[in-house]
Amino acid sequence: YLDGTLSESVRADFEGELGANPTLQGEVQLQQQIDQALGKLFLPPAPPADLAERLRRASMVRTIPIANQRRRWTLAAAAAAAMIAWGILGWQFFSPTNRPPVYNPRLPLATIYKTSVDSGFKPTWVCEDDHVFASTFFERQGEGLLLAAMPAGSGMVGLAYCGGLSRYTTTMLARVDGQPVMVFVDRRENEEQVVPPAPDSGLHLFRKDLGDLVLYELTPFDAPRVMDYLYHADVPPAKVPAASPEPAPGAE
């Protein structure tokens, strides 16, 4: 889907599923962010300024007498094409500054924070009620979570699926006194070495265990202001839409 190689019918079916599946939306957004990050980190080196001239000289072959003029030009063209192809392949694959990138879905939390803030701090999923909020964590992390009432000046923006500890990490976006704060939630078995933010980044990282889950809060404040309001809870029942009132007899 992200490579743009699906047929129109398959793409339409996939986008229909994408619009109704927040988990799938998170997978797509995570892969897009990984692709963008790798694209920035592993840009191919600029070709030498004289590459075209060097390839042109390399493609010049010594002419030998051949009775058939067409065959002579065919051989020369084939030799030139081979020279150019091998030259490009050699530069592309054997240049020491262009090694293939190593795929790593666990981007540093500070990188995810900066990318999210730079892109407008927009969530992947805005939960309409406690049922949706708790069931999202239950489906992704195996345990339901709810958010207690937060103080004035603080509030949740929404949930995002941008990786961090694993590809299944669920991240809560919040604002505290107008400042963006992110809380990364995942199973403890998915926790590996987490890279702390750089000292000059202005960010602070805090960790908390919650049952079998681990929470990391990345914040510009010098103390956690959000993650302590998350707590274990069963998934509440979904809200049932109120039935429309029956029209009065004889009403048109």
Side-chain angles (χ1 to χ4, degrees):
Y1 172 72
L2 294 178
D3 290 341
T5 59
L6 298 179
S7 65
E8 290 187 7
S9 60
V10 176
R11 182 182 180 88
D13 291 341
F14 182 84
E15 289 179 340
E17 173 67 16
L18 185 63
N21 189 332
T23 300
L24 185 58
Q25 294 171 14
E27 293 290 320
V28 170
Q29 184 187 51
L30 173 59
Q31 189 60 55
Q32 288 174 327
Q33 292 176 337
I34 291 172
D35 292 346
Q36 292 171 1
L38 291 177
K40 294 177 181 178
L41 291 174
F42 298 97
L43 291 174
D50 61 342
L51 177 62
E53 177 61 23
R54 286 159 56 183
L55 290 175
R56 188 189 67 79
R57 291 199 302 267
S59 68
M60 297 174 63
V61 297
R62 183 172 60 88
T63 303
I64 57 176
I66 298 180
N68 190 323
Q69 182 76 8
R70 178 176 298 177
R71 177 175 175 79
R72 181 174 63 190
W73 283 107
T74 300
L75 289 174
M83 284 285 189
I84 294 173
W86 279 108
I88 294 175
L89 287 173
W91 169 70
Q92 185 74 14
F93 291 101
F94 297 106
S95 170
T97 59
N98 194 38
R99 300 299 186 197
V102 178
Y103 177 78
N104 182 6
R106 297 177 181 83
L107 295 175
L109 301 186
T111 300
I112 297 174
Y113 180 96
K114 183 178 185 305
T115 301
S116 179
V117 172
D118 290 347
S119 60
F121 207 60
K122 298 178 181 178
T124 306
W125 185 248
V126 177
C127 299
E128 300 294 338
D129 54 39
D130 288 348
H131 169 79
V132 176
F133 186 89
S135 61
T136 299
F137 285 97
F138 185 81
E139 291 175 2
R140 294 177 66 84
Q141 277 72 50
E143 298 185 28
L145 293 181
L146 284 177
L147 180 66
M150 300 180 68
S154 305
M156 179 181 65
V157 177
L159 299 179
Y161 312 124
C162 46
L165 305 184
S166 77
R167 66 185 303 158
Y168 301 107
T169 301
T170 302
T171 305
M172 191 179 85
L173 278 59
R175 288 192 182 274
V176 177
D177 297 335
Q179 297 297 314
V181 176
M182 300 180 76
V183 178
F184 300 84
V185 182
D186 211 328
R187 302 287 300 178
R188 193 179 298 113
E189 60 260 28
N190 292 334
E191 180 185 19
E192 295 185 2
Q193 184 176 0
V194 176
V195 179
D200 60 351
S201 66
L203 297 173
H204 305 277
L205 185 64
F206 301 94
R207 181 188 182 280
K208 176 182 178 179
D209 290 315
L210 189 62
D212 292 328
L213 305 181
V214 62
L215 283 60
Y216 279 92
E217 179 169 333
L218 191 59
T219 172
F221 300 99
D222 57 5
R225 302 281 294 273
V226 176
M227 67 181 180
D228 289 338
Y229 292 94
L230 288 167
Y231 64 95
H232 273 134
D234 295 330
V235 177
K239 291 184 177 180
V240 179
S244 301
E246 293 289 338
E252 294 294 335

